Amino acid sequence: MKSYSQISGEIGEFSNLPFWKKADTVDLVYVSYGLLIVSLVILSYVLGMFNLMPHDPQALNLDLMMASPGTSGHLLGTDFLGRDMLSRLILGIQAYFLPGLLAIAISLSFGTVLGVLAGYRGGRFDTGITYFTNLVDSFPRLVLILLVIAAFKPDIYYIMIVVGLTNVPVVASLIKGKIHFLRQKNFIEAAVSLGLPTRTIILKHILWHNCRSLFIIQATLGMGEAILIETSLSYLGFGVQEPMPSWGNMVQSGANYFMQGKFWPSTAPALAILFTILGFHLLGDGLNNMLEGKRGR
Amino acid sequence: MAKTILEVVDLKKHFTARKTLLSAFKEQERSIPAVDGVSFYLKENETVGLVGESGCGKTTIGRTILRLEKPTAGKILFDGKDVTAMPSEELRKLRSEMQMIFQDLDAALNPKMRIRDILREAIKVHHDITDEEIDGRIGELLEQVNLKRSKLSNFPHELSGGEKRRVGIARVLSVGARFIIADEPTSALDVSIQAQVVNLLRDLQKHLGLSYLFISHDLRVVELISHKVAVMYLGKVVEMGLAGRIATAPRHPYTHILWSSLVGKQSKEASSAVRNVQSGIWGVFDFERAYAGCRFAPRCPVYESKEYPRVCTDPASEPQLRDVGDGHQVACHFPL
Amino acid sequence: MDAPLLKIENLRTYFYSQSKQAFIRSVDGVNLEIARGETLGVVGESGSGKSITALSTMGLISAGPGVISGTIAFQTNGVQKNLLQGLENYVKLTEQDGKVMHVSKNVVGWEKHSDRIMHKIRGKEIAMIFQNPKASMNPFTTVGKQITEAIRLHTKTKDPLEAEDRAAYWLKQVKIDSPRLRLTNYPYGLSGGMCQRAMIAMALACEPSLLIADEPTTGLDATIQSKIVDLLVELKGELGTTTMLISHDISVISRLSDSVAVMYGGTVVECGPARDILATAFESKHPYTTALLTSIPSEQNIKEKGYLQAIEGDVLDTINIPLGCRFYSRCNRVTDAIRKKCESHEPDLREISPGHRVRCWLYFE
């Protein structure tokens, strides 16, 4: 039976319009919000890298402790040592941006290799990799991170390597699924029987043409996750250490003054975390719906 | 006398159920004989039709010849060279002469590539030629498959089913194939488009001297396009011969049932034995069921009408293909 | 003469495609009539709208932006009922420059209303057999339970044991061996052919006044196909159920139908008695029907190893329907005298001999 949903699905795929024109309005809102956040993050990262901040984020100003937002020169106020909140927020991005990219790079590269091996070679590789990924998945991630911290030192790069490695199974299974789907449609067989070299089939036809949107989506989602892990560990004191600012340790140090009515030192970084992670996730979600069309109708 | 281009000798392909940790402890693996000792040959400029019900192993044969599946046993000789034992680099070269048209229209078409790039890539695989030469070759191919030049800049999803099929055929021709395995090339198409494709395939054979292994369940089309027909049942060829003879004077009861089942076609030369007993044909058709001797016996009207002769179900005497004159072969103890 | 059991008039089922900002006109002005006890065969290629016509009749066009207009008049207990009554109130179209920009549909209201009209009819008065029997049966309950449930729901038999007897009776009617045993089988335990027969049994068990069979043989093996057709022929002789048989396979249609409707591009291009339309010798018919009949290999064709008469061009795009005749661009019988008309005016379905109607300018002079 040809149900209506199938018909409309076909038509959607056959459309000639660029993908942003045929997308749902909701997804467009998601993606534009996400892009806004991402560009803000990148801009702030560059600013922080070249020290282009309204104030020196480390400079103490004991005359102006706990100044409320809007105080002259301090848009978001100052913290308990009189340091400028906005500058510290901007500098806080340094704490997760590069490490987050590292985590993404690790999960995507290892995940792709394993996924291609499992999906393309199949058989024993598939069985082995499935067992391996199940094993990785069954470790509680936080415990693993704490183990690494205990064994080495509380360095954010070590933590992000763990985050990247624990994300490998997700990427691997997605790539494997994609390859299985292509195989089912005899797409890979057709390429093989044409005589194309295996390298071309995997790199060009599978990864470049059919998996690139998947990479973008996984990268945005991975970044959101990296931020979450970094900030929560810094909050607990395992991540970035004072006096280097991280949104996590800013929330933590500001929290002591929350009950005294001085809400901004903790609320500002907390909101920054919320909006940023939301941005990355919505971007990933919106792109997923637009590029892969997975919205369940 | 035309040259033999492909010879398949006693080809076997058994699928084993997927191995898990547990199955290592079991004594026996479950194995499904999808192709169980098939032999046939194909001459240049000739079409052999392969018919049978779904699941009888006809597609597996095609895939095994192309080495998309590794055969369990047997030989596949293409131009006298054994494909089964070929190293992969040599096999890759051989694939320029041996191609497959897949049932799925989209199989050959990368959705993110324009038609021009798809064809260009295919030409480049086996031919080291300049861009102008490639353009010339593409023009030639388009003419051969009767496709408009304007379609070259389209993406696959902008084409209709018939056009996709034409591009698929053009891609197969672009590498210079002489032997083409056509796996249900028309079944995904509408009736009116099917006829176009059948005509095209015959035209190409006439002009380019191609050989086809034509796999289909559409008996009328097979009868029309093939010179010889092989009928498969449960992984074995039960009857083989000239197309006209298979269709009008079948000797194996299964072939007879198959052709007389063409809805609307009156079976003219039905022997009385078959016409009277046609009840058992609802039977289940699968590899799981145990059989001994002749695989078709459980569904066979002749077996029933002859009151269940022992020889049909004797494990020691599975009927083998034997000649009944004029190159017509049949595997049955009691041919019609 | 009696009023026909089912009379479809000017049925239009459109689907709005957001991405193309246009309507996909799957069914575009279909007129059909089925008299009591008759079997109507509907032939056409994919995209001709034959399945959507059936789904519209069953009230199964509900999800998404599907829009139906026209009337489907159905006789139930001597009263004529329009199955599409009032449905248009739930759809609002926003137009701009003569183009539909947006379709807003109160899906919940539409479904509720549709259910209110259909709940006494669907399954009870009109039953349907689908193309893919395995997908249309619930894999988690036994065949027996499913048939028994249908019987208790739709017929006067309410007692569970009695209903089971009826179920076994109907399985026997469709030639399933040891029906009692099969009642306890799950759908996946049955072969394709057996499953399709169980579906037929389930549809017939409710003693519907109209049976819609949508591609009942497609996807089955050749030997099983012919058996299913034999069974349907036999059941037709025994029960005389009014049937709407939808298929792309002309040989199936010709075995079973009393009258035939040929569909192309969302509309009926020809309808009339089966023996006329499907006979190769019969001259005055729509060029599409002629082409369709000759594009399958005939015995003559096979004997001579000749070429098939293919219809050039492609299946109609149901978004951009041409102004004139839908078949014009592929037609090989356009003469200079009528070319202008074919190009710019769509012919209507006119009676050219008793009971035989054609939508072609060739016959309207």
Side-chain angles (χ1 to χ4, degrees):
Chain A
M1 181 184 120
K2 209 169 198 179
S3 76
Y4 165 65
S5 58
Q6 282 167 321
I7 299 170
S8 72
E10 276 170 28
I11 296 299
E13 272 178 51
F14 288 178
S15 163
N16 262 336
L17 293 171
F19 66 88
W20 56 87
K21 273 204 178 160
K22 63 187 180 198
D24 282 2
T25 326
V26 189
D27 292 333
L28 279 180
V29 173
Y30 282 5
V31 169
S32 26
Y33 171 71
L35 285 177
L36 179 76
I37 291 291
V38 171
S39 44
L40 270 179
V41 165
I42 293 177
L43 180 74
S44 312
Y45 175 73
V46 174
L47 287 179
M49 204 163 59
F50 294 107
N51 253 329
L52 296 170
M53 284 163 286
H55 294 267
D56 180 356
Q58 310 290 24
L60 309 184
N61 185 349
L62 299 178
D63 298 335
L64 208 61
M65 287 193 295
M66 306 302 275
S68 54
T71 313
S72 67
H74 300 286
L75 192 63
L76 292 178
T78 58
D79 68 359
F80 65 105
L81 290 173
R83 296 176 294 194
D84 181 45
M85 286 299 295
L86 183 61
S87 307
R88 286 182 72 75
L89 277 184
I90 293 175
L91 193 66
I93 285 174
Q94 303 286 329
Y96 64 71
F97 192 74
L98 273 190
L101 286 184
L102 176 74
I104 292 169
I106 289 174
S107 65
L108 287 188
S109 52
F110 283 90
T112 305
V113 171
L114 291 188
V116 167
L117 274 181
Y120 197 80
R121 298 294 298 274
R124 227 165 281 160
F125 279 100
D126 192 7
T127 319
I129 289 168
T130 310
Y131 281 122
F132 170 72
T133 51
N134 284 349
L135 192 74
V136 172
D137 264 347
S138 62
F139 269 122
R141 173 184 287 181
L142 269 177
V143 173
L144 212 58
I145 291 172
L146 292 179
L147 273 177
V148 169
I149 291 173
F152 302 98
K153 57 177 180 176
D155 187 299
I156 188 69
Y157 283 96
Y158 286 131
I159 295 169
M160 283 302 149
I161 289 174
V162 178
V163 171
L165 286 178
T166 46
N167 263 339
V168 164
V170 179
V171 178
S173 70
L174 281 173
I175 301 249
K176 188 179 112 183
K178 197 91 189 182
I179 294 177
H180 275 301
F181 170 76
L182 292 174
R183 215 181 258 290
Q184 227 169 40
K185 299 191 82 182
N186 280 331
F187 180 83
I188 292 174
E189 266 90 344
V192 170
S193 59
L194 190 67
L196 286 172
T198 315
R199 189 166 21 98
T200 317
I201 297 175
I202 291 177
L203 291 182
K204 181 177 173 192
H205 288 275
I206 295 176
L207 292 182
W208 174 242
H209 281 302
N210 285 295
C211 295
R212 60 183 176 203
S213 49
L214 194 148
F215 286 143
I216 299 175
I217 295 155
Q218 280 308 306
T220 53
L221 294 178
M223 190 51 135
E225 213 166 339
I227 299 173
L228 192 67
I229 298 275
E230 188 276 324
T231 48
S232 37
L233 284 172
S234 297
Y235 178 84
L236 295 173
F238 293 113
V240 176
Q241 306 293 323
E242 279 276 359
M244 272 305 288
S246 146
W247 293 355
N249 64 25
M250 285 167 74
V251 175
Q252 199 272 331
S253 59
N256 302 333
Y257 304 94
F258 191 80
M259 295 313 279
Q260 300 169 13
K262 317 264 167 130
F263 59 88
W264 54 94
S266 55
T267 312
L271 286 179
I273 295 171
L274 175 70
F275 287 126
T276 311
I277 294 180
L278 192 67
F280 275 104
H281 274 269
L282 290 185
L283 180 65
D285 222 30
L287 282 177
N288 193 18
N289 290 337
M290 276 159 73
L291 300 173
E292 301 274 295
K294 279 203 186 122
R295 168 147 301 166
R297 281 170 201 266
Chain B
M1 194 69 187
K3 218 174 85 195
T4 301
I5 188 165
L6 176 86
E7 196 173 354
V8 174
V9 186
D10 202 24
L11 183 70
K12 284 186 182 155
K13 174 71 196 171
H14 294 198
F15 289 107
T16 42
R18 197 174 163 219
K19 280 178 200 149
T20 59
L21 272 186
L22 275 179
S23 68
F25 298 111
K26 284 185 198 152
E27 280 179 18
Q28 262 184 335
E29 287 175 77
R30 239 166 42 115
S31 132
I32 298 162
V35 179
D36 203 11
V38 167
S39 307
F40 64 93
Y41 64 91
L42 184 72
K43 294 203 159 140
E44 247 169 12
N45 213 354
E46 189 182 60
T47 305
V48 168
L50 204 54
V51 294
E53 288 166 287
S54 58
C56 71
K58 50 191 197 307
T59 299
T60 311
I61 289 187
R63 293 168 57 96
T64 316
I65 291 173
L66 266 182
R67 268 281 298 274
L68 292 171
E69 311 271 1
K70 227 177 155 45
T72 312
K75 265 190 199 158
I76 299 161
L77 301 168
F78 182 78
D79 255 354
K81 283 172 281 184
D82 192 355
V83 180
T84 47
M86 206 173 259
S88 59
E89 191 47 34
E90 206 176 322
L91 188 69
R92 211 172 68 76
K93 290 216 182 77
L94 189 77
R95 285 196 171 130
S96 68
E97 300 182 29
M98 197 157 82
Q99 282 289 320
M100 182 152 177
I101 301 174
F102 289 88
Q103 180 174 5
D104 194 317
L105 295 172
D106 290 315
L109 309 172
N110 189 332
K112 306 265 164 69
M113 279 165 82
R114 292 177 195 277
I115 303 303
R116 187 193 306 278
D117 299 326
I118 290 174
L119 291 179
R120 191 188 293 258
E121 181 187 46
I123 294 171
K124 271 189 179 162
V125 178
H126 295 286
H127 307 271
D128 195 14
I129 54 177
T130 62
D131 279 4
E132 286 103 74
E133 281 173 311
I134 288 179
D135 278 342
R137 182 87 181 95
I138 287 179
E140 208 175 289
L141 286 170
L142 290 186
E143 210 163 287
Q144 277 167 354
V145 300
N146 197 9
L147 196 71
K148 284 197 209 87
R149 208 161 220 297
S150 58
K151 299 284 174 198
L152 277 181
S153 50
N154 286 46
F155 285 103
H157 64 82
E158 294 163 346
L159 303 185
S160 68
E163 285 164 348
K164 278 185 191 170
R165 180 50 84 219
R166 281 164 202 275
V167 174
I169 294 174
R171 188 170 109 135
V172 159
L173 295 176
S174 69
V175 296
R178 291 186 294 141
F179 164 57
I180 294 175
I181 300 170
D183 185 10
E184 305 268 7
T186 57
S187 68
L189 299 168
D190 277 313
V191 189
S192 68
I193 310 297
Q194 277 182 14
Q196 292 175 11
V197 171
V198 169
N199 285 349
L200 173 66
L201 286 173
R202 301 185 64 189
D203 258 342
L204 290 173
Q205 180 164 53
K206 213 195 266 168
H207 296 138
L208 303 174
L210 302 175
S211 316
Y212 295 125
L213 178 63
F214 195 88
I215 302 168
S216 179
H217 66 268
D218 190 334
L219 301 173
R220 287 196 197 88
V221 172
V222 169
E223 195 179 338
L224 175 74
I225 201 168
S226 310
H227 303 100
K228 287 192 301 189
V229 171
V231 182
M232 282 190 74
Y233 185 79
L234 280 182
K236 254 195 137 82
V237 173
V238 293
E239 186 166 10
M240 190 154 56
L242 294 174
R245 283 178 131 256
I246 294 278
T248 51
R251 306 293 300 272
H252 197 282
Y254 177 63
T255 316
H256 178 87
I257 289 168
L258 209 56
W259 249 274
S260 57
S261 73
L262 274 180
V263 181
K265 181 175 171 175
Q266 300 301 316
S267 45
K268 276 176 238 132
E269 296 169 45
S271 82
S272 58
V274 176
R275 203 186 292 143
N276 293 340
V277 203
Q278 277 216 344
S279 60
I281 309 164
W282 279 114
V284 199
F285 174 86
D286 63 275
F287 287 98
E288 310 275 321
R289 188 186 250 195
Y291 59 84
C294 177
R295 304 159 190 242
F296 186 58
R299 287 175 76 185
C300 184
V302 175
Y303 176 62
E304 211 172 309
S305 69
K306 291 216 186 293
E307 285 167 7
Y308 315 107
R310 275 293 307 280
V311 64
C312 285
T313 49
D314 182 4
S317 67
E318 178 163 9
Q320 300 301 322
L321 275 179
R322 59 198 163 90
D323 222 304
V324 288
D326 291 341
H328 193 144
Q329 292 177 301
V330 61
C332 182
H333 292 299
F334 305 101
L336 302 174
Chain C
M1 208 182 119
D2 263 2
L5 179 69
L6 179 79
K7 188 170 185 179
I8 299 176
E9 262 179 294
N10 206 13
L11 176 73
R12 287 170 202 276
T13 307
Y14 292 0
F15 298 102
Y16 186 69
S17 157
Q18 189 77 41
S19 55
K20 294 211 166 178
Q21 305 215 318
F23 274 116
I24 301 156
R25 299 195 263 177
S26 299
V27 175
D28 196 23
V30 160
N31 296 299
L32 286 175
E33 269 184 39
I34 307 178
R36 243 173 238 284
E38 184 193 54
T39 298
L40 171 75
V42 181
V43 223
E45 295 174 279
S46 68
S48 62
K50 52 194 196 313
S51 281
I52 302 291
T53 305
L55 292 179
S56 306
T57 313
M58 284 293 277
L60 290 176
I61 304 287
S62 55
V67 181
I68 309 184
S69 67
T71 51
I72 299 178
F74 182 69
Q75 298 278 343
T76 163
N77 303 327
V79 190
Q80 201 175 47
K81 216 170 164 185
N82 178 10
L83 303 185
L84 298 177
Q85 191 95 53
L87 275 180
E88 62 270 25
N89 297 339
Y90 295 95
V91 180
K92 221 186 246 146
L93 304 183
T94 320
E95 278 182 65
Q96 194 183 319
D97 311 330
K99 240 179 116 181
V100 181
M101 296 308 288
H102 190 72
V103 179
S104 67
K105 181 173 159 187
N106 178 355
V107 178
V108 180
W110 172 293
E111 272 178 18
K112 267 197 184 149
H113 188 87
S114 173
D115 280 348
R116 209 174 307 137
I117 302 176
M118 295 304 296
H119 87 278
K120 282 240 166 89
I121 294 175
R122 203 186 284 150
K124 185 176 183 184
E125 296 282 335
I126 309 179
M128 190 157 173
I129 306 170
F130 294 102
Q131 179 179 344
N132 190 345
K134 282 216 167 135
S136 347
M137 286 189 123
N138 183 350
F140 297 112
T141 42
T142 61
V143 175
K145 278 220 182 87
Q146 293 182 51
I147 302 179
T148 314
E149 189 191 354
I151 291 175
R152 291 179 61 198
L153 194 65
H154 294 306
T155 65
K156 289 194 191 93
T157 317
K158 297 294 178 199
D159 181 56
L161 286 175
E162 216 175 299
E164 212 176 292
D165 285 342
R166 291 297 291 168
Y169 165 79
W170 281 107
L171 282 190
K172 207 169 156 216
Q173 284 283 300
V174 296
K175 309 260 180 307
I176 288 181
D177 311 329
S178 46
R180 281 278 168 195
L181 200 67
R182 290 294 173 198
L183 283 177
T184 59
N185 275 134
Y186 285 89
Y188 57 78
L190 304 180
S191 67
M194 188 118 56
C195 217
Q196 187 59 284
R197 280 179 288 158
M199 267 303 279
I200 296 173
M202 189 148 91
L204 292 176
C206 309
E207 291 159 38
S209 44
L210 175 67
L211 178 71
I212 301 179
D214 186 2
E215 306 267 7
T217 60
T218 312
L220 298 171
D221 280 321
T223 51
I224 306 297
Q225 275 190 21
S226 74
K227 278 282 165 182
I228 293 276
V229 173
D230 286 346
L231 175 71
L232 288 173
V233 170
E234 208 171 297
L235 288 173
K236 183 184 161 191
E238 272 172 37
L239 307 167
T241 311
T242 316
T243 310
M244 177 162 150
L245 175 74
I246 296 166
S247 181
H248 68 274
D249 192 339
I250 293 170
S251 47
V252 171
I253 297 276
S254 67
R255 280 281 305 276
L256 278 163
S257 311
D258 305 309
S259 58
V260 170
V262 183
M263 286 188 71
Y264 183 77
T267 190
V268 177
V269 293
E270 181 168 19
C271 65
R275 58 179 186 282
D276 288 353
I277 292 184
L278 299 177
T280 18
F282 189 70
E283 275 304 318
S284 57
K285 54 186 161 196
H286 196 278
Y288 176 65
T289 317
T290 317
L292 204 58
L293 286 173
T294 51
S295 66
I296 49 174
S298 63
E299 307 228 340
Q300 182 75 13
N301 244 315
I302 292 170
K303 217 176 278 164
E304 294 166 2
K305 293 268 171 197
Y307 281 89
L308 295 173
Q309 279 187 357
I311 313 177
E312 288 311 316
D314 261 309
V315 181
L316 192 77
D317 171 10
T318 44
I319 292 182
N320 299 313
I321 289 183
L323 207 58
C325 173
R326 284 156 210 254
F327 191 59
Y328 170 66
S329 60
R330 302 175 75 185
C331 187
N332 57 2
R333 283 172 67 192
V334 187
T335 59
D336 284 333
I338 57 166
R339 185 176 299 276
K340 261 228 159 93
K341 265 203 235 164
C342 291
E343 208 176 341
S344 54
H345 296 282
E346 176 159 28
D348 37 80
L349 198 58
R350 246 186 264 178
E351 196 158 50
I352 55 167
S353 60
H356 182 204
R357 295 189 290 172
V358 180
R359 194 187 281 275
C360 182
W361 288 116
L362 270 177
Y363 305 106
F364 295 168
E365 288 313 313

